[in-house]
């Protein structure tokens, strides 16, 4: 979510908010993630697909750090660009191209300054001039150019993606490689972009069937949380590695969800030993204080997809009700239903309620379906007794358990009767015109703005989220009571409101 440095440095959730020292201190990359990073550095276009908080930004930043000029021995020139710019959400056509090209030019110049022998780079903000000058930079430096576009997609508005992927495709050549981070369900790539031929798509979801899954999450705990919950707090079946792996599976491998969960577990345990009772409380807390608030937070940033929130909630309640009653952690949904309810299901995947595991799998009841895993936090609310028993704990640790056959949902299920609504006409996201009071501390924004900061901003005529997003840093710092720390919090909260 937002920058947590003010309350607890181990809970800096957004990789972009970390200083270089904090980034190195808090991040651990598994063997699987090391391969993803290698793909980002290698030649060829790549799309990095993952749900909110899955670690896409961290992978891109780490890839940029392993390339020139951060790494003088690299044969690739790494240029990292965050596309969290409000103008890009509001622009199309030539205006969008000019704005994106200018962002690339600025990022290249900002990166060049770090090199030992800075080269000149001057390009006009159009695709022809930019490609020519980037090729010239590659020739002059003797290195490939790798451009890492972070937050290229926005779940609420897909129209600008046509222009983006045209530029993405046009820029890519033998010396220039483009990489972009996208969300599940971003499918409108434009008529000139063939996703299967024009890029390699990498799903960053953490596969809990891979060897070392528990160990990888335990390493994250050792980097961030041992001062809160030391190793002596674990014993018996509740070893550090087992509990870390269990929590990792409970949140479907989502890094942001894991950080919230472990911080909550640390608070619940206090000075006591970790037990199933404290694990239960942690997961129940996450359901009510993390997952369901995400739905509330997402609604005003969906733009034309705003009507899809209600069916997404209805689908979640239906799936988790039936799966909870049967104690199933996976569901297999008839492909016909998945196709019809694709957007609400994408919303649930984006927010971490579900995670796709198999795109197409044979169903016992005939036909084929898509298999999803369910997060245990929300599922636990519907399981009889609503507590983590030893059976549940062992069962979730053993993903290959034959008893984990998925719940099948076909034409006789409640899901089949849910009808997606008509989309809204084109329009701006509701969050942009919302009063900045929506950014106050709440379940959706637990580390949002305080009452007095909101009043300071309003007195300076920053009344809407869009006005605050467009405000210059220099102007905000001139306001009484707004220092560097508060500015960072404002920027992080606005970023969460609009993009994250």
């Amino acid at each position: 979510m937002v920058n947590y440095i003010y309350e607890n440095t181990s809970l800096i959730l957004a990789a972009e908010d970390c200083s270089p020292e904090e980034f190195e201190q808090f991040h651990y990359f598994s063997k699987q993630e090391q391969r993803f990073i290698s793909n980002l550095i290698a030649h060829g276009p790549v799309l990095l697909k993952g749900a909110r908080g899955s670690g896409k930004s961290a992978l891109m930043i780490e890839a940029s750090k392993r390339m020139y000029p951060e790494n003088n021995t690299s044969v690739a020139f790494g240029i990292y660009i965050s596309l969290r710019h409000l103008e890009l959400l509001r622009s199309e056509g030539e205006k969008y191209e000019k704005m994106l090209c200018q962002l690339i030019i600025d990022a290249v110049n900002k990166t060049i300054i770090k090199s030992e022998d800075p080269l000149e780079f001057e390009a006009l903000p159009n695709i022809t001039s930019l490609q020519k000058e980037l090729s010239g930079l590659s020739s002059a430096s003797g290195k490939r150019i790798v451009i890492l576009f972070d937050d290229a997609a926005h779940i609420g508005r897909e129209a600008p993606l046509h222009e983006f992927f045209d530029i993405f495709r046009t820029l890519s050549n033998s010396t220039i490689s483009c990489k972009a981070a996208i969300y599940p369900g971003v499918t409108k790539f434009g008529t000139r972009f063939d996703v299967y031929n024009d890029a390699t798509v990498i799903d960053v979801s953490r596969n809990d069937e891979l060897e070392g899954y528990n160990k990888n999450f335990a390493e994250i705990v050792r980097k961030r949380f041992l001062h809160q919950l030391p190793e002596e707090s674990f014993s018996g079946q509740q070893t550090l590695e087992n509990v870390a792996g269990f929590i990792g599976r409970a949140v479907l491998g989502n890094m942001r969800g894991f950080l919230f969960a472990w911080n909550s577990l640390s608070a619940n345990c206090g000075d006591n030993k970790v037990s199933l009772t404290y694990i239960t409380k942690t997961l129940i807390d996450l359901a009510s204080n993390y997952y369901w608030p995400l739905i509330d937070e997402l609604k005003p940033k969906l733009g034309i997809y705003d009507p899809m929130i209600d069916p997404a909630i209805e689908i979640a309640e239906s799936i988790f009700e039936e799966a909870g009653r049967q104690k199933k952690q996976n569901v297999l949904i008839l492909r016909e239903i998945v196709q019809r309810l694709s957007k609400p299901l994408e919303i649930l995947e984006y927010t971490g309620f579900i995670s796709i595991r198999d795109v197409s799998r044979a169903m016992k009841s005939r036909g084929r379906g898509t298999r999803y895993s369910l997060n245990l936090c929300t599922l636990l609310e519907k399981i009889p007794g609503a507590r983590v028993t030893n059976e549940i704990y062992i069962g979730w640790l053993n993903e290959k358990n034959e008893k984990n056959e998925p719940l099948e949902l076909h034409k006789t299920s409640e899901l089949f009767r849910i009808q997606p609504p008509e989309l809204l006409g084109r329009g701006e996201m509701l969050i942009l015109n919302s009063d900045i009071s929506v950014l106050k501390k709440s379940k959706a924004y637990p580390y949002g703005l305080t009452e007095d900061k909101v009043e300071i901003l309003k007195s300076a005529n920053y009344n809407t989220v869009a006005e605050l997003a467009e405000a210059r840093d220099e102007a905000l710092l001139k306001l009484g009571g707004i220092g560097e720390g508060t500015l960072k919090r404002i920027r992080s909260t606005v970023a969460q409101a609009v993009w994250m």
Side-chain angles (χ1 to χ4, degrees):
M1 276 195 175
V2 295
N3 188 331
Y4 287 73
I5 192 169
Y6 314 98
E7 282 78 10
N8 181 348
T9 53
S10 66
L11 271 177
I12 299 176
L13 298 183
E16 309 94 307
D17 287 336
C18 293
S19 67
E21 296 76 21
E22 290 165 338
F23 186 90
E24 185 174 347
Q25 177 187 351
F26 292 137
H27 287 86
Y28 168 82
F29 298 99
S30 66
K31 289 182 180 179
Q32 180 188 29
E33 290 165 330
Q34 297 286 356
R35 290 194 293 272
F36 295 160
I37 293 167
S38 296
N39 287 329
L40 290 173
I41 296 173
H43 181 68
V46 170
L47 299 180
L48 204 61
K49 183 181 74 170
R52 166 188 175 136
S54 58
K56 300 184 298 298
S57 294
L59 291 169
M60 288 200 141
I61 291 172
E62 179 64 17
S64 71
K65 288 166 66 68
R66 297 187 187 185
M67 289 185 281
Y68 186 82
E70 295 284 342
N71 176 11
N72 285 328
T73 64
S74 175
V75 297
F77 207 124
I79 300 162
Y80 171 85
I81 306 172
S82 173
L83 297 185
R84 289 183 187 174
H85 294 268
L86 192 55
E87 298 87 348
L88 290 177
L89 294 180
R90 293 170 153 175
S91 306
E92 295 182 53
E94 291 184 9
K95 184 179 179 182
Y96 183 93
E97 177 184 332
K98 182 177 180 180
M99 198 165 297
L100 179 59
C101 288
Q102 188 60 57
L103 286 172
I104 298 172
I105 292 168
D106 293 343
V108 171
N109 282 311
K110 183 179 178 182
T111 305
I112 284 176
I113 293 173
K114 300 176 183 177
S115 60
E116 292 180 351
D117 185 19
L119 300 167
E120 290 188 6
F121 184 81
E122 294 183 4
L124 299 174
N126 65 69
I127 192 66
T128 304
S129 175
L130 181 58
Q131 186 182 56
K132 178 183 176 182
E133 295 304 321
L134 283 171
S135 296
L137 176 62
S138 174
S139 178
S141 64
K143 299 178 184 296
R144 292 184 294 105
I145 306 295
V146 176
I147 306 176
L148 302 155
F149 294 102
D150 199 5
D151 288 301
H154 191 287
I155 192 171
R157 185 177 176 186
E158 297 179 355
L161 294 178
H162 293 281
E163 286 83 6
F164 173 80
F165 283 108
D166 279 350
I167 294 170
F168 182 97
R169 182 178 182 274
T170 303
L171 269 183
S172 301
N173 60 27
S174 59
T175 59
I176 304 168
S177 300
C178 293
K179 325 285 181 172
I182 63 172
Y183 294 123
V186 178
T187 53
K188 295 183 179 179
F189 295 101
T191 55
R192 296 204 308 142
F193 191 86
D194 184 345
V195 66
Y196 297 106
N197 292 319
D198 291 334
T200 299
V201 181
I202 297 175
D203 190 337
V204 302
S205 300
R206 291 168 178 82
N207 187 344
D208 53 12
E209 294 182 358
L210 291 179
E211 184 181 352
Y213 186 87
N214 295 1
K215 179 180 180 295
N216 292 335
F217 278 101
E219 288 301 319
I220 293 164
V221 170
R222 292 187 178 102
K223 273 184 168 286
R224 292 197 181 223
F225 292 104
L226 281 187
H227 62 286
Q228 294 175 246
L229 203 58
E231 297 230 20
E232 52 265 29
S233 300
F234 302 87
S235 61
Q237 289 187 321
Q238 284 80 54
T239 65
L240 173 57
E241 283 198 7
N242 278 350
V243 175
F246 178 80
I247 296 292
R249 288 182 171 86
V251 298
L252 303 177
N254 185 278
M255 185 54 62
R256 191 166 301 170
F258 180 79
L259 296 181
F260 265 101
W262 204 269
N263 188 63
S264 177
L265 180 64
S266 301
N268 288 330
C269 291
D271 296 327
N272 299 314
K273 292 280 188 180
V274 173
S275 67
L276 296 184
T277 300
Y278 293 127
I279 292 174
T280 296
K281 188 177 189 316
T282 294
L283 300 189
I284 294 295
D285 285 347
L286 245 67
S288 57
N289 295 318
Y290 179 71
Y291 284 106
W292 290 114
L294 282 185
I295 294 284
D296 295 332
E297 178 202 329
L298 186 60
K299 184 176 175 64
K301 69 176 77 169
L302 279 179
I304 62 172
Y305 298 111
D306 175 270
M308 294 295 177
I309 281 289
D310 288 339
I313 293 173
E314 188 178 357
I315 290 167
E317 291 175 340
S318 176
I319 289 175
F320 282 93
E321 183 73 40
E322 183 63 25
R325 186 163 52 247
Q326 298 192 35
K327 297 183 179 180
K328 296 289 188 180
Q329 63 195 72
N330 297 282
V331 293
L332 189 57
I333 305 176
L334 185 68
R335 189 160 53 185
E336 179 185 339
I337 300 175
V338 172
Q339 291 171 343
R340 184 164 48 82
L341 300 176
S342 60
K343 200 63 186 182
L345 287 168
E346 287 162 9
I347 289 171
L348 293 177
E349 189 173 4
Y350 171 80
T351 49
F353 279 75
I354 61 177
S355 181
I356 194 167
R357 296 305 191 210
D358 298 312
V359 174
S360 182
R361 179 169 163 176
M363 303 180 73
K364 292 180 179 178
S365 52
R366 298 176 64 182
R368 301 194 70 84
T370 300
R371 182 172 72 98
Y372 296 89
S373 286
L374 312 178
N375 83 65
L376 181 56
C377 308
T378 313
L379 181 64
L380 194 61
E381 294 181 309
K382 304 297 183 180
I383 291 177
R387 66 187 181 88
V388 178
T389 62
N390 194 57
E391 178 188 6
I392 291 173
Y393 179 74
I394 297 300
W396 276 68
L397 277 177
N398 183 11
E399 175 63 23
K400 296 181 181 180
N401 191 333
E402 293 181 359
K403 294 181 179 180
N404 289 334
E405 281 297 313
L407 165 69
E408 294 195 357
L409 299 176
H410 35 76
K411 290 185 178 181
T412 60
S413 68
E414 290 293 326
L415 229 54
F416 187 76
R417 288 185 276 277
I418 297 175
Q419 296 296 326
E422 294 292 324
L423 295 179
L424 297 175
R426 290 193 59 137
E428 199 164 58
M429 296 180 295
L430 295 177
I431 189 65
L432 297 178
N433 294 318
S434 298
D435 190 278
I436 62 170
S437 59
V438 302
L439 304 179
K440 290 180 182 178
K441 285 187 176 184
S442 64
K443 285 186 177 181
Y445 301 97
Y447 293 92
L449 305 182
T450 58
E451 183 77 44
D452 64 309
K453 301 306 181 189
V454 169
E455 291 306 314
I456 290 171
L457 293 168
K458 283 191 172 185
S459 66
N461 291 321
Y462 295 111
N463 295 303
T464 68
V465 172
E467 289 170 347
L468 190 54
E470 293 169 337
R472 296 178 63 85
D473 289 355
E474 298 82 2
L476 293 176
L477 288 171
K478 288 180 181 178
L479 303 178
I482 305 292
E484 290 288 348
T486 302
L487 175 64
K488 197 170 184 180
R489 178 180 288 233
I490 290 170
R491 291 303 184 207
S492 297
T493 307
V494 170
Q496 180 194 346
V498 180
W499 286 279
M500 297 174 70

